[in-house]
Amino acid sequence: MKETINVAEIARELHLDEEELLKHALRDYLHNRLKELATERRAICARLGVSGLSELKRRLKQGQVKEEKVFEDYQRLDWLEYQLGLIRRFLRATRW
């Protein structure tokens, strides 16, 4: 069975302020998540030969790409770009 330990205990054992520990943990999580999502976004863009969602939209509109061939990637890229924007906004808003 795993031992359960909470944030207060960790902070106390490491001689850290609990709030500071949480701030650093959140900042690090957001930076790591940003890297993960950006890596996935770059892979999709490379596979499709585009620089981003806006270029993919343009190519779809111009008929250079068939929608049925890129539908899932389009949806994922749209979600990824939205998430990346959110995380960047959170990081700017939480300048600790």
Side-chain angles (χ1 to χ4, degrees), residues 3-17:
E3 179 182 353
T4 304
I5 189 163
N6 64 37
V7 174
E9 289 177 81
I10 293 170
R12 186 176 58 251
E13 291 292 323
L14 296 175
H15 305 285
L16 297 170
D17 177 71

Side-chain angles (χ1 to χ4, degrees), residues 56-93:
L56 182 56
K57 284 180 181 179
R58 182 178 52 75
R59 288 186 177 194
L60 282 164
K61 189 177 259 187
Q62 293 174 346
Q64 295 173 338
V65 177
K66 300 263 187 215
E67 185 176 347
E68 56 274 0
K69 291 191 177 209
V70 297
F71 183 72
E72 287 181 25
D73 284 332
Y74 179 93
Q75 286 185 318
R76 185 66 180 175
L77 194 54
D78 186 40
W79 181 84
L80 286 167
E81 290 195 4
Y82 176 76
Q83 291 295 305
L84 288 165
L86 278 178
I87 293 171
R88 287 182 186 112
R89 191 182 89 219
F90 294 153
L91 286 168
R92 280 192 306 272

Side-chain angles (χ1 to χ4, degrees), residues 15-53:
H15 305 285
L16 297 170
D17 177 71
E18 188 175 340
E19 187 175 331
E20 282 300 308
L21 177 61
L22 288 172
K23 284 179 182 180
H24 288 291
L26 178 58
R27 184 195 64 218
D28 290 347
Y29 169 80
L30 290 172
H31 279 288
N32 289 334
R33 188 68 176 145
L34 187 71
K35 287 177 190 174
E36 290 170 2
L37 296 177
T39 298
E40 184 180 353
R41 180 191 172 279
R42 279 192 301 277
I44 292 172
C45 289
R47 185 172 60 247
L48 298 176
V50 297
S51 60
L53 186 62

